[in-house]
Amino acid sequence: MKPAAFDYVAPRTVAEAVAALADTDRKAQVLAGGQSLLIEMHYRRARPDLVVDINRVADLDALRVGDGELRVGALVRHRVFESPRAAPGPLGRLLSLAAHHIAHPPIRTLGTMVGSLAWAHPASEWCTVAVTLDADIEVRGGDGDRSLGAHDYFRGPHLTTREPGQLISGVRLPLLEENTGVGFLEHRRTHASFAQIAVVATLTVHDGVITGARIGLANAADRPVRAVAAETSLIGAELDQAESGGQRADAGPFHRAAGLAAERDASPRAQPYADVEYQRHAIAVLVRRTLHQAAADLRANAGRGAPGDGR
């Protein structure tokens, strides 16, 4: 099918884009990469009256590090993060792991991180990373600028707290401590399909003891979620014990955390190829494996931080 008729504008500034979105009598959609929007328009599941193409807006493609954060502009493409050098230290490694799971190269060339946050799919890699890291999402509207915490931003499939007429101009991700290991694993039916389950994990260790843990789950509920019970269970555990115990399927801190994530933190829904029992099993397996991946990443990169690199 072809899209329903719509008007099109291509502003040159953020102010012009916001002004175009401010007409509350018209249903408007923002076009950046268009990798989700255009498909929905072709199937006429999305019928905007106005498409606001922001690809000509200056400075929205900027990637900046400062004040302990990485700021990602609204036009920064997925492919930028394929290299771990896109951000300092563990954050760069985590973003690289996630980026390589997003669809396939043509999609990563055109699609954007901020576009994924705007679309708010429960299986989105970037939405899950944002929730896991407590990212701040910058929105600009006719009443000025606001910052929305990722933990409160997502309300359900394609539902967010962003109001009509607001433009997401960027997202700020906190840099991770040098002594942090990162992991990202995903289970999906085909190479480029949406994740049935994806897991983000970070482990921060001091003197061999886990002092910080973050675990995010994609497609384990109607929105990306933090596995808070699982995270809490890991604090104070010795990394050596966690790794060695977790080599068995029924022992160790990583195994306990995986069980808590599946049974207490997740709210999986039955899918055409996976019932709820299968989903919980997959969550537990992926959480355990991702924690091992994060521990291995920490050991492989111990001591690599350079003074002044922001980590």
Side-chain angles (χ1 to χ4, degrees):
M1 294 178 66
K2 294 182 179 180
F6 60 91
D7 291 332
Y8 171 90
V9 296
R12 297 280 181 171
T13 67
V14 171
E16 290 177 1
V18 171
L21 293 170
D23 186 350
T24 56
D25 293 330
R26 309 177 80 189
K27 185 177 179 180
Q29 288 280 7
V30 175
L31 174 66
Q35 301 306 287
S36 297
L37 174 62
L38 294 182
I39 293 174
E40 296 298 300
M41 290 175 63
H42 276 286
Y43 282 105
R44 298 200 176 189
R45 292 191 290 254
R47 293 171 174 249
D49 301 314
L50 174 68
V51 171
V52 181
D53 184 345
I54 63 172
N55 280 281
R56 294 177 177 83
V57 177
D59 297 328
L60 286 185
D61 60 351
L63 195 65
R64 299 189 180 96
V65 175
D67 298 325
E69 295 178 325
L70 172 72
R71 186 187 183 279
V72 182
L75 291 177
V76 177
R77 312 294 170 174
H78 302 312
R79 62 180 173 81
V80 170
F81 302 103
E82 291 179 352
S83 169
R85 293 187 175 89
L91 179 60
R93 301 197 302 272
L94 177 60
L95 298 181
S96 179
L97 288 172
H100 283 90
H101 285 83
I102 297 173
H104 43 76
I107 296 292
R108 296 198 291 269
T109 298
L110 293 173
T112 66
M113 177 186 286
V114 166
S116 293
L117 300 179
W119 201 247
H121 195 289
S124 164
E125 291 84 0
W126 290 142
C127 293
T128 308
V129 168
V131 168
T132 306
L133 300 184
D134 286 329
D136 287 313
I137 299 166
E138 300 176 349
V139 297
R140 183 174 296 185
D143 57 352
D145 297 342
R146 294 179 58 200
S147 181
L148 306 175
H151 59 286
D152 294 324
Y153 172 77
F154 299 100
R155 292 302 188 196
H158 309 297
L159 297 174
T160 73
T161 56
R162 180 170 61 96
E163 298 175 0
Q166 290 181 331
L167 172 72
I168 304 180
S169 57
V171 58
R172 302 194 311 276
L173 303 166
L175 301 182
L176 300 176
E177 290 185 49
E178 179 184 339
N179 51 328
T180 297
V182 299
F184 188 103
L185 290 176
E186 189 168 293
H187 171 53
R188 52 190 177 186
R189 295 186 63 247
T190 64
H191 174 69
S193 62
F194 285 108
Q196 281 190 282
I197 295 293
V199 178
V200 183
T202 73
L203 291 173
T204 302
V205 175
H206 292 92
D207 298 324
V209 175
I210 298 173
T211 58
R214 291 177 179 268
I215 301 171
L217 308 176
N219 224 14
D222 65 349
R223 69 200 76 179
V225 294
R226 286 275 296 275
V228 177
E231 295 172 354
T232 302
S233 74
L234 291 169
I235 304 303
E238 294 184 4
L239 183 62
D240 288 343
Q241 178 189 6
E243 287 187 286
S244 60
Q247 295 302 318
R248 293 174 52 195
D250 60 350
F254 287 174
H255 172 75
R256 290 194 296 273
L260 288 169
E263 298 300 329
R264 291 180 53 182
D265 295 313
S267 302
R269 302 149 296 158
Q271 299 183 24
Y273 300 97
D275 59 20
V276 171
E277 182 180 1
Y278 177 89
Q279 294 285 308
R280 291 195 188 279
H281 174 73
I283 291 166
V285 170
L286 278 188
V287 168
R288 187 170 65 249
R289 291 178 179 176
T290 309
L291 289 170
H292 277 289
Q293 184 187 36
D297 174 74
L298 176 63
R299 295 191 185 282
N301 293 280
R304 290 193 178 184
D309 69 355
R311 285 178 279 177

